[in-house]
Amino acid sequence: KDDVVAVPASAGYHPPVEQVVPAPGMRVKARFDKDQYYHGTIVSVVEKDGDSANSSSKGKKKKKKSVRITINYDDGSSEETVFPDPDISLVMPGNDDEVDENG
């Protein structure tokens, strides 16, 4: 028998990047310096090289899919970059890691 265990997002579990596809409206955390992080929101997602999201190549070696995303950061700046990126993490809902007015 296989037991299934639900792990709340607040427990710090992050599914592998291959399972989470960035989409407009998702929050991100980007590292700019060693310990300097900025939060933002994805505003557009475009698949690279014209790949179709629905295409599947059975029997062929699957290569990592990358997409071009545009992020509007909370400080008003914006950036267009390729995802996955080792310095950019998708933030699961309810787990912003942001400091609020209470610290």
Side-chain angles (χ1 to χ4, degrees), residues 11-92:
Y13 170 75
H14 299 285
V17 172
E18 297 83 33
Q19 294 179 7
V20 180
V21 178
M26 292 181 83
R27 299 282 293 160
V28 297
K29 179 172 74 170
R31 180 175 56 204
F32 279 88
D33 290 321
K34 186 176 181 181
D35 293 319
Q36 186 73 36
Y37 291 88
Y38 293 94
H39 288 83
T41 303
I42 297 173
V43 293
S44 73
V45 178
V46 178
E47 294 188 26
K48 287 188 66 178
D49 302 324
D51 292 340
S52 170
N54 297 326
S55 69
S56 64
S57 51
K58 290 186 176 179
K60 292 185 178 178
K61 197 171 190 178
K62 200 172 190 179
K63 64 178 187 176
K64 288 186 178 180
K65 182 181 278 189
S66 61
V67 294
R68 182 164 296 282
I69 62 174
T70 302
I71 303 167
N72 282 351
Y73 290 100
D74 296 348
D75 68 359
S77 63
S78 65
E79 171 186 29
E80 187 176 298
T81 188
V82 174
F83 186 89
D85 179 317
D87 292 325
I88 298 176
S89 303
L90 298 176
V91 177
M92 301 307 287

